[in-house]
Amino acid sequence: EEESQSSFMHLLRTKREARLMEKALAEKDEAFRQKMKVIADGWRALHAKRAQLKDHVEKSGRIIQENEEVRILALKIDSKERKENMQKESELLRARMKLETLRKEHRKLCKKVQKYSVFKKYLEDVVKISQFEDIPEVASRYKLLVRTQKDLLQSQQGHKELTEQDKVLLEQYRAEKEAEMLQYKSELVQLKLRFDQAQSDILLWETCWADIQNRTSKKTRKLWTIKLAIHDLFQ
């Protein structure tokens, strides 16, 4: 359906171009006819002028046969006429070539119109069985749907780009946290080693403390024995 609608839009543009081309072709044709008429009038006037000049030159030649200025003037007029004739023939050839090009383009556009006419019939059938009133309304709705689809695709693309950015930020955050976890694990291992060393030191110091208490107890008993002995001696 989208392909048919696109083909119909192309058909409408092609028909519009064909109408414009037909109008331009008609204007060119009319201009060409006017130009041909002007050229023909110019040719007749030129021949008449040429005949007059020729008659004048003949009369002047009969009157003044050795008049060099009249001969030079005649040569200049003849050269100018030849140049104008060549220019007009060149313009006429270009106009014919342009007219042939326009005719070829017109035939080409007519073939396109004939080729896409089936889509016009299809859209007319669509209008009959749908809520649309005419084909331009269908075309307007199609353009609206195309713009909506374009906006939706742009929105999806923006959402995708934001998602990709979020993924990149998440990966960066995860990498940073993993690095912190590795650092914490390393510190935990060091703290565990220190804790084990502290436990070993505690056992050592507890042994030393028990030995000190044992020696202190012995010395205390010995001190009491000495005190009792001194007390007995005193008595």
Side-chain angles (χ1 to χ4, degrees):
E1 183 179 356
E2 290 179 355
E3 184 178 0
S4 299
Q5 292 175 352
S6 177
S7 300
F8 172 69
M9 296 301 299
H10 183 69
L11 173 63
L12 291 180
R13 289 195 298 270
T14 304
K15 291 183 72 175
R16 185 169 62 252
E17 291 174 357
R19 288 195 296 270
L20 293 176
M21 187 62 68
E22 288 177 357
K23 184 178 179 181
L25 185 61
E27 293 176 355
K28 291 290 183 181
D29 195 18
E30 181 64 25
F32 179 75
R33 291 195 185 93
Q34 294 294 330
K35 199 167 188 179
M36 290 295 294
K37 183 179 179 182
V38 172
I39 291 173
D41 294 337
W43 272 103
R44 286 193 294 270
L46 184 63
H47 283 297
K49 187 176 180 181
R50 197 172 192 179
Q52 292 176 1
L53 288 174
K54 186 176 181 181
D55 183 66
H56 177 71
V57 169
E58 289 176 355
K59 289 180 179 179
S60 298
R62 287 193 300 268
I63 296 173
I64 308 174
Q65 295 182 358
E66 301 295 332
N67 194 339
E68 185 68 18
E69 293 181 358
V70 174
R71 187 182 68 82
I72 294 173
L73 180 60
L75 291 174
K76 288 181 178 180
I77 292 173
D78 188 62
S79 176
K80 184 178 180 181
E81 289 177 351
R82 285 197 300 269
K83 182 184 289 186
E84 290 178 352
N85 291 336
M86 291 177 62
Q87 184 177 0
K88 290 179 180 179
E89 289 177 357
S90 177
E91 291 178 355
L92 180 61
L93 179 61
R94 287 197 298 270
R96 286 177 177 175
M97 292 175 64
K98 191 170 184 180
L99 180 61
E100 184 63 25
T101 302
L102 292 173
R103 285 175 177 172
K104 290 181 180 179
E105 187 67 23
H106 180 261
R107 288 194 295 269
K108 185 177 179 182
L109 291 173
C110 288
K111 289 181 180 179
K112 284 185 177 181
V113 170
Q114 186 178 2
K115 179 180 178 182
Y116 292 112
S117 61
V118 62
F119 298 108
K120 180 182 178 183
K121 179 64 171 59
Y122 171 76
L123 288 174
E124 288 175 351
D125 294 338
V126 170
V127 170
K128 290 179 181 179
I129 62 174
S130 65
Q131 60 181 355
F132 300 106
E133 295 181 357
D134 50 15
I135 293 177
E137 186 177 356
V138 176
S140 178
R141 179 63 61 86
Y142 171 75
K143 291 180 180 179
L144 178 61
L145 291 175
V146 170
R147 288 195 299 269
T148 304
Q149 184 184 18
K150 184 178 179 181
D151 295 338
L152 181 60
L153 291 176
Q154 291 178 352
S155 178
Q156 290 177 351
Q157 183 65 26
H159 180 69
K160 183 178 179 181
E161 291 177 357
L162 290 176
T163 304
E164 293 296 331
Q165 292 178 359
D166 292 339
K167 287 182 179 179
V168 172
L169 293 175
L170 180 60
E171 291 297 329
Q172 293 178 353
Y173 179 77
R174 185 179 296 171
E176 292 175 357
K177 293 304 177 183
E178 288 179 354
E180 291 180 2
M181 288 178 65
L182 290 176
Q183 183 178 358
Y184 291 151
K185 286 180 179 180
S186 177
E187 293 178 357
L188 183 61
V189 171
Q190 294 178 1
L191 290 173
K192 187 175 182 181
L193 291 175
R194 291 174 62 184
F195 178 75
D196 293 339
Q197 183 66 37
Q199 290 286 349
S200 177
D201 292 341
I202 288 172
L203 292 174
L204 179 62
W205 285 108
E206 285 180 349
T207 304
C208 292
W209 176 249
D211 186 53
I212 290 170
Q213 284 182 339
N214 190 19
R215 289 200 303 269
T216 302
S217 177
K218 290 181 179 179
K219 289 183 178 181
T220 301
R221 288 196 300 271
K222 187 176 181 180
L223 180 60
W224 276 103
T225 303
I226 292 172
K227 284 184 177 181
L228 290 174
I230 291 172
H231 183 31
D232 290 342
L233 290 174
F234 180 75
Q235 290 295 330

